[in-house]
Amino acid sequence: MSEGAGEVVIEIRDMHKWFGHFHVLKAIDLVVRRGERIVICGPSGSGKSTLIRCINRLETHQRGEIRVHGTELNANTRNIEEIRRDVGMVFQSFNLFPHLTVLENCTLALRHVRRMPRAEAETLAMGFLERVCIPEQAAKFPGQLSGGQQQRAAIARALCMSPRIMLFDEPTSALDPEMIREVLDVMVSLAEEGMTMLVVTHEMGFARTVANRVIFMDGGEIIEEAPPDEFFASPKNERTRAFLSQILSH
Amino acid sequence: MSGARAYPPGQHPDLPPPDGTVGPLAWARARLFSTPVNAGLTLAALAFLALVLPPLLDWLLVRADFRPHASARDCDGLGACWAVVTRQPLQYFVGFYPASEIWRPILAFLLLLGAGYVALAPHVPWRRHLAWGVALYPLVAAWLLLGGGPLEEVSTIKWGGFLLTLVLGVAGIAASLPLGILLALARRSDLPVMRFLATAFIEGVRGIPLIVFLFFVSVLLPLFFPEGMTFDKLVRALIAVALFESAYMAEVVRGGFQAVPRGQYEAAAALGLGYWRTTALITLPQALKVAIPGIVNTFIALFKDTSLVITIGLLELLGTAKLILANENWIAVPEEAFVFVAFLFWVPCFFMSRYSVALERRLAEGADRKRGPLR
Ligand SMILES: Nc1ncnc2c1ncn2[C@@H]1O[C@H](COP(=O)(O)OP(=O)(O)OP(=O)(O)O)[C@@H](O)[C@H]1O
Ligand SMILES: [Mg+2]
C-alpha cells in the first residue's frame, strides 16, 4: 500500500465518528510511516478536517482505534496531552494567540509545558522564526502581521515543540494568492527535512511535487489512495475524476 | 512648479501638512463646527454651561461659608454652609474611630495607594518583588485598623464614614473578581454538577436585591456556624457584598469568555496545554481584556452599593452623613452634606473609570489592525 518500510507512526483501524446522529467518518483505515507526506483532498464537508483532528484528539472517535507512536488514543487525558506535544497542528485560521507577541506565542508551550528556562526557549524559538523567515517580526503582535506571516509564525510555534508529526488543515486557503507561495515554501522545506506530514489542501501543485500519497475523501470515506502520479494520471474512482476535473479546471 | 517629479521613486522627502489641517483651530473646525447640526449642538452645550455653571460655582465656592460654626444657624446664608462638614470633618472620613489613633487609617490609606500603584501602574520597577507587599496588604491593613499587639484595639463598631466605604469597596472588589472568575469557569464547565451549582448561585443571587441579601447573610450566616460563635457585622457585610457582586462579575467574565474564539482553545490543546494552563495563559487574559468595561462597571456599582450596609446597622459614608444630619444643628443643611458625600463617592469611581480607559488603551497596543478605534 505505501512505499518504504519506515516505522509506523500513525495507525488508524476501522475508525468511525458521529456528530450526534450524523455519521461523519466511516470505516477509516490509514497507516502512516515515518517521513511520509500525505495530502488529503476532497469536497467540502467530506470529513477531511475531522479526520486529522481525530489524530490529535481535538475530536474524539467513537469506534475503531487510532494509534500514534503506538499509543492508543482513548479517554486517558494524560497520554492525550503527551501525544499532542508530539503532534504539531497548523490551522486554516492560524489561531495565533492575539494577546502575546509572535515570540511569546512560540515560547509559551516550551516554557509552560516543557518547563524550559525563558532564555533557552527564546533562543530556540528565534531559530524557528528564522527558519520560516520572519525573525524580524518576533516582537510584534499577530494582529500586526500579514496573513502569510501569521501562518508562518503559526508553523514556527508548532515546530518549537519539536513534533515528530505535523498536521496541516488547509494552511493556505485563508491566504491571498501572493502569500500562498511563502507558506508552501516553508512546508516544502519541512518535507525535505523528512518531517512526517498530513496535509489537507487543495494545492494540487504541492500534492504533485511533495506528497508520497494522495488521499481522496468523500462522504466520510476514503475513496481513493495513491501516489501522486498515479492519482492524477489515472484516478480509478468516478468521484475522484469528477472532483479532479472540477478542481484542476480552476 | 511643484518639485514632486524631481525625486526618484521612493525618495520623496516629508512635507508638512497643508495649512489649516492641524492645530487647535483646525481641530475645533473639524470636531465642533463641521456641520450646521454639529455647530448648533456645540453652541447649545456652551449656552447650557454658561447658564448653569456660574450660579452653581457661586453657591458652592464663591459665596459659600467655610467656617466651622457650631450650627447651621450661624452661617451667613449667602452660599453653601460648609460648617456641616468643616465642624467635624473626621467623622465623614473615619466615623467614630478614636481621634488619637487617626494615623492608623491614614497610614492604611497611604499603603493602599502604594499597593494600588504597584498592582495597577504600567511600569513599576521591581514589581515582582513588591508583589509580596501587595499580597500582604490586607493583613497589614487589618492589623493597622483593628489593632492588637502594641496597637490599641479599635472595634469595627467604631469604624465609619469613608473608611468603611473603602474597606467594603476595596475588599468587595478584591474578592468578587476572583470569585466571579471561578463562578464563570464553573458555569462553562463540562461537569454538569459544577455548571448547575454555579448557575443556581448566580441566578439565585441576581434575582434578589442587595438589601435583602444583606439581611439574609446577616441572619443566616450565624446559623451555619457553631453556637456562641459571634460574627462581626462588618465581616457579614463583607461576605454578603463579595458574594453578591461575584454573581454579577461572573456573568461579565463569562461574556468575555464567549468572545474568545474556539480556535484559541484548539490551538492551546494542540500544543499540549491542559485545562488550567489554557485558562490561565490563553483564554482568561483574552476574556478579561474584552470584559474590562463591564468589570469596571461592576466595580463602580459595587462601590456605591456599599452604602446599603446601613440596613444592617453599619454607618459608612452616607450613613454617617445621615447621622450627622439627624442632629438638630444640621437639619437645615442636607444639601451641603450630600454634595460632600457625593463628591467623596465620585472621586474613586471617576478614578476607576479613567483607569479602565487607560488600561484598554494599553492593552490595545498591538491589537488587530482591523479593529475600530477605541473611544
Ligand atoms: N462540531 C460539529 N458538529 C456537528 N457537525 C459537524 C461538526 N464539525 C463538522 N461537522 C460536520 O461534519 C462534516 C465534515 O466536516 P469537516 O469539517 O471535517 O469537513 P471538511 O472536509 O474539512 O470540509 P471543508 O473542506 O469545508 O473544510 C460536515 O458536514 C460538517 O458540517
Ligand atoms: Mg475542513
Side-chain angles (χ1 to χ4, degrees):
Chain A
M1 190 163 78
S2 66
E3 67 175 77
E7 92 191 85
V8 171
V9 290
I10 300 172
E11 189 178 357
I12 301 177
R13 294 279 174 228
D14 189 33
M15 189 266 280
H16 295 253
K17 172 166 182 64
W18 289 261
F19 281 124
H21 291 285
F22 176 48
H23 198 173
V24 56
L25 292 177
K26 301 167 186 164
I28 302 289
D29 277 298
L30 180 65
V31 173
V32 181
R33 292 170 188 281
R34 193 169 55 196
E36 273 198 298
R37 282 93 54 191
I38 295 181
V39 162
I40 303 170
C41 61
S44 181
S46 55
K48 310 178 294 290
S49 300
T50 309
L51 170 59
I52 68 165
R53 289 156 60 86
C54 281
I55 294 173
N56 64 352
R57 214 170 163 83
L58 287 183
E59 304 286 357
T60 51
H61 60 287
Q62 281 100 24
R63 234 183 80 185
E65 64 174 45
I66 303 178
R67 288 177 180 278
V68 177
H69 294 126
T71 314
E72 184 173 357
L73 301 191
N74 50 37
N76 184 342
T77 338
R78 199 170 169 72
N79 79 39
I80 297 311
E81 274 164 25
E82 271 158 28
I83 284 169
R84 281 172 176 167
R85 288 163 210 177
D86 254 3
V87 180
M89 184 157 202
V90 174
F91 301 85
Q92 178 174 359
S93 50
F94 325 139
N95 294 348
L96 289 167
F97 306 128
H99 61 302
L100 302 175
T101 64
V102 168
L103 186 62
E104 286 164 346
N105 263 275
C106 293
T107 55
L108 181 102
L110 287 176
R111 293 182 54 200
H112 296 279
V113 178
R114 292 238 194 274
R115 300 248 162 247
M116 192 182 274
R118 184 194 183 115
E120 196 182 330
E122 287 183 349
T123 314
L124 190 79
M126 280 312 293
F128 283 109
L129 287 174
E130 266 155 37
R131 174 96 175 46
V132 300
C133 308
I134 49 168
E136 71 286 355
Q137 311 293 342
K140 289 195 190 164
F141 288 90
Q144 298 169 310
L145 268 53
S146 76
Q149 291 169 330
Q150 290 190 47
Q151 192 60 297
R152 285 184 285 158
I155 294 175
R157 176 177 71 180
L159 291 178
C160 278
M161 292 296 276
S162 340
R164 292 193 281 174
I165 301 169
M166 285 284 286
L167 308 174
F168 293 84
D169 190 1
E170 306 207 34
T172 58
S173 51
L175 297 177
D176 294 335
E178 72 270 21
M179 297 173 188
I180 292 180
R181 188 74 260 153
E182 62 193 43
V183 171
L184 288 181
D185 284 346
V186 169
M187 292 168 61
V188 169
S189 73
L190 259 185
E192 282 164 358
E193 284 169 18
M195 176 67 79
T196 309
M197 296 164 67
L198 271 83
V199 185
V200 176
T201 184
H202 291 162
E203 291 294 328
M204 289 303 138
F206 177 83
R208 242 188 257 274
T209 52
V210 176
N212 339 57
R213 255 191 296 161
V214 183
I215 287 174
F216 174 70
M217 287 184 71
D218 194 10
E221 289 175 292
I222 294 181
I223 301 285
E224 187 146 357
E225 185 177 348
D229 9 335
E230 197 181 317
F231 183 86
F232 289 108
S234 52
K236 293 188 193 66
N237 193 288
E238 181 52 41
R239 281 191 269 178
T240 318
R241 278 197 288 274
F243 175 77
L244 281 178
S245 69
Q246 206 177 26
I247 203 161
L248 294 176
S249 68
H250 274 294
Chain B
M1 281 296 285
S2 123
R5 276 194 295 150
Y7 299 103
Q11 306 262 310
H12 203 298
D14 293 343
L15 298 176
D19 283 346
T21 55
V22 289
L25 263 182
W27 180 87
R29 201 159 55 212
R31 296 291 175 86
L32 301 180
F33 299 99
S34 56
T35 64
V37 175
N38 195 350
L41 285 174
T42 303
L43 291 177
L46 287 176
F48 177 77
L49 288 179
L51 214 63
V52 170
L53 270 188
L56 194 63
L57 290 176
D58 193 51
W59 182 80
L60 280 174
L61 301 172
V62 181
R63 304 221 273 172
D65 187 346
F66 287 94
R67 287 167 297 176
H69 303 295
S71 156
R73 287 181 290 276
D74 302 332
C75 277
D76 54 22
L78 298 172
C81 174
W82 291 116
V84 66
V85 176
T86 53
R87 181 77 189 180
Q88 50 227 342
L90 278 189
Q91 209 178 337
Y92 286 88
F93 285 99
V94 296
F96 294 103
Y97 207 90
S100 58
E101 302 294 314
I102 195 73
W103 63 272
R104 284 155 52 180
I106 291 176
L107 182 58
F109 179 69
L110 293 177
L111 288 175
L112 174 69
L113 294 184
Y117 179 80
V118 171
L120 304 177
H123 303 291
V124 182
W126 305 307
R127 169 149 30 207
R128 274 164 181 276
H129 307 281
L130 294 172
W132 282 107
V134 177
L136 287 177
Y137 175 77
L139 290 178
V140 175
W143 174 61
L144 270 176
L145 293 173
L146 284 168
L151 295 178
E152 181 192 331
E153 289 192 17
V154 180
S155 154
T156 57
I157 297 169
K158 295 189 175 159
W159 302 14
F162 191 60
L163 165 66
L164 198 52
T165 298
L166 266 187
V167 167
L168 285 164
V170 171
I173 283 170
S176 67
L177 184 59
L179 274 179
I181 290 172
L182 289 179
L183 279 171
L185 289 175
R187 191 167 185 175
R188 293 170 53 81
S189 157
D190 290 333
L191 309 172
V193 177
M194 294 291 278
R195 212 160 50 219
F196 172 78
L197 289 177
T199 310
F201 177 82
I202 292 168
E203 297 308 342
V205 169
R206 287 204 305 168
I208 305 175
L210 178 54
I211 296 196
V212 179
F213 193 70
L214 277 165
F215 272 126
F216 236 57
V217 173
S218 195
V219 175
L220 290 183
L221 196 63
L223 300 183
F224 288 106
F225 289 89
E227 211 164 328
M229 188 169 167
T230 56
F231 262 101
D232 195 295
K233 254 188 209 168
L234 178 60
V235 172
R236 294 184 213 177
L238 277 174
I239 292 175
V241 169
L243 288 182
F244 186 82
E245 300 294 342
S246 66
Y248 285 84
M249 194 59 73
E251 287 300 278
V252 174
V253 173
R254 194 170 66 94
F257 273 111
Q258 310 286 48
V260 178
R262 218 173 71 136
Q264 294 290 307
Y265 293 88
E266 294 177 351
L271 286 170
L273 273 71
Y275 175 81
W276 289 108
R277 285 196 189 112
T278 301
T279 302
L281 300 168
I282 309 297
T283 54
L284 182 61
Q286 296 184 53
L288 290 182
K289 178 175 164 183
V290 173
I292 288 172
I295 290 173
V296 175
N297 203 26
T298 310
F299 283 170
I300 290 175
L302 181 155
F303 194 76
K304 293 181 299 183
D305 280 351
T306 56
S307 53
L308 291 174
V309 297
I310 195 173
T311 54
I312 58 170
L314 289 171
L315 293 182
E316 45 62 74
L317 185 50
L318 181 62
T320 303
K322 283 185 169 166
L323 183 72
I324 290 170
L325 289 174
N327 183 313
E328 59 108 21
N329 281 333
W330 305 114
I331 273 174
V333 287
E335 296 88 347
E336 285 83 344
F338 288 138
V339 165
F340 184 64
V341 165
F343 178 73
L344 283 186
F345 268 111
W346 178 80
V347 170
C349 290
F350 184 67
F351 166 79
M352 286 191 264
S353 160
R354 290 288 87 191
Y355 179 74
S356 105
V357 172
L359 186 63
E360 280 178 61
R361 285 246 163 80
R362 202 164 95 209
L363 295 179
E365 172 199 357
D368 204 309
R369 46 186 173 181
K370 292 181 212 81
R371 286 253 311 271
L374 270 174
R375 285 271 155 71

